[in-house]
Amino acid sequence: MLITAGNFDAYSIGAKAERLFRMQRHGIRVPELFCISEDTTESEIAAYIRQTFRAGTLFSVRSSANAEDSAAFSFAGQLDTFLFVPAEQVWEKICQCRASADSESVREYLRINGIAHEEFRIHVIVQVMVDADCAGVLFTANPQGILNETVITVGSGTG
């Protein structure tokens, strides 16, 4: 099943995808995206891309796991992300993104944080790629532990 801004409320897709869809719904300019559930097929994705996006569109392929980007766990850098992916490689990158959930570092992260591997679900976001002049991250609480301090980190390029 393809998950879009029109139907995401019916799924548990992880905080990252949910927040992107909510921002879209509230009129914030978010590059077009869809999310895939664990049972989405390669042919469904290929047909959706052909029908929805113009030829030559490049995509980012990244995770949205059920415990990722939550109040308790970030998973920063644990799961693979792929940038500037042509349409014909989207399925391959989705498979690689999903497979990264079985890496040694993710298994250790789950163990340390008391998350059962069999309960860890990974959905994948496919989003139109933006070739940015600069990119950044906004932390609503300083990662150094200063919870009432906001930190913005910005760098040149896509990030």
Side-chain angles (χ1 to χ4, degrees):
M1 178 77 183
L2 287 169
I3 302 163
T4 65
N7 68 357
F8 80 92
D9 290 332
Y11 298 91
S12 175
I13 54 175
K16 188 185 302 178
E18 183 180 321
R19 289 176 184 142
L20 288 168
F21 285 132
R22 287 196 188 288
M23 287 189 293
Q24 266 189 337
R25 186 177 280 172
H26 290 334
I28 297 172
R29 290 182 50 200
V30 173
E32 193 57 42
L33 72 139
F34 62 95
C35 187
I36 59 165
S37 62
E38 294 173 323
D39 62 347
T40 308
T41 67
E42 181 178 8
S43 60
E44 285 178 284
I45 293 165
Y48 185 77
I49 288 173
R50 272 194 313 276
Q51 294 167 3
T52 309
F53 303 98
R54 58 187 168 80
T57 298
L58 297 175
F59 300 91
S60 67
V61 177
R62 55 202 186 120
S63 62
S64 185
N66 59 341
E68 184 181 15
D69 291 343
S70 68
F73 311 106
S74 74
F75 279 83
Q78 295 294 320
L79 299 159
D80 290 346
T81 294
F82 302 93
L83 305 178
F84 300 101
V85 178
E88 60 273 8
Q89 292 179 14
V90 166
W91 178 254
E92 172 190 341
K93 298 305 179 189
I94 288 168
C95 293
Q96 290 176 358
C97 183
R98 284 179 172 158
S100 71
D102 287 325
S103 72
E104 174 120 4
S105 65
V106 170
R107 287 184 178 278
E108 182 65 6
Y109 189 90
L110 294 170
R111 187 192 65 73
I112 288 169
N113 289 289
I115 302 168
H117 192 269
E118 56 276 359
E119 293 175 14
F120 185 62
R121 297 285 176 263
I122 184 167
H123 290 78
V124 179
I125 299 167
V126 178
Q127 188 170 25
V128 171
M129 188 68 217
V130 173
D131 189 7
D133 294 328
C134 60
V137 177
L138 173 115
F139 296 93
T140 56
N142 186 327
Q144 299 294 320
I146 306 168
L147 301 181
N148 64 346
E149 183 177 275
T150 299
V151 175
I152 302 172
T153 305
V154 179
S156 297
T158 302

